[in-house]
Amino acid sequence: MATLHHPVPAHPPPTPRFPAPASRPGRVAGRRAGRGTAVGRAVAAPPPADELGRDLALPVGAAATAVAVTVLLVTGEAAHLAFALVAFALLTVAVAAAARPRLVPAVVLVSWLFFDGFVVQRRAELGWQQTDRLSLWVLAGAGLAGAGCAAAVRAVRSRRGGAG
């Protein structure tokens, strides 16, 4: 009986141009959750849930802002600008605290665009009267407050982690 032989390549396979992504030491493919043996390739650890939440804060905040506008318009509370501005400021604080610091200006801008376009102007138009400028400043302050509180919490956590 004849046997089949596979040809042996004359040269080694090409090396990749880019190095493999860095990962935590000790993590090797195939060893996660006791599955099989190691092949020798490092596997990048998935991002922690906190990092994923910080990345998704802006789109989730935009959706929450759209829902808040809808609720205010349906219930008739949009006529009370002070109440609506407080609601938007609290929402901006919450989303800015959850977002990455570099995304806070975008959080404030999205919040102000929804507030000014649908609550103040009512027809998805933007204005630049005194009410519009005041609401922009209030929401910017709310965004800075949320980002500042989140930064303080992260600093306290890192200090506890380093000391303990």
Side-chain angles (χ1 to χ4, degrees):
M1 218 176 198
T3 60
L4 295 175
H5 295 285
H6 293 290
V8 177
H11 51 81
T15 58
R17 285 186 178 180
F18 304 103
S23 66
R24 291 191 288 181
R27 293 207 78 162
V28 179
R31 295 216 176 164
R32 290 176 43 188
R35 290 184 253 156
T37 60
V39 179
R41 294 179 304 202
V43 175
D50 185 41
E51 302 247 344
L52 184 61
R54 293 176 73 197
D55 288 336
L56 292 176
L58 182 59
V60 170
T65 305
V67 169
V69 165
T70 305
V71 168
L72 287 171
L73 291 175
V74 168
T75 60
E77 293 298 323
H80 306 289
L81 286 181
F83 174 78
L85 185 58
V86 167
F88 268 79
L90 292 175
L91 182 62
T92 303
V93 166
V95 175
R100 291 189 181 279
R102 70 174 180 251
L103 294 178
V104 171
V107 168
V108 169
L109 183 64
V110 166
S111 184
W112 180 76
L113 288 173
F114 273 100
F115 180 77
D116 191 52
F118 294 105
V119 177
V120 176
Q121 303 299 330
R122 307 265 175 132
R123 291 198 170 104
E125 296 175 354
L126 298 175
W128 197 244
Q129 285 79 30
Q130 181 63 31
T131 306
D132 306 311
R133 292 188 300 264
L134 177 66
S135 64
L136 177 61
W137 283 109
V138 168
L139 294 175
L144 287 175
C149 290
V153 167
R154 282 192 301 275
V156 168
R157 283 184 184 168
S158 69
R159 180 173 282 183
R160 284 185 186 171

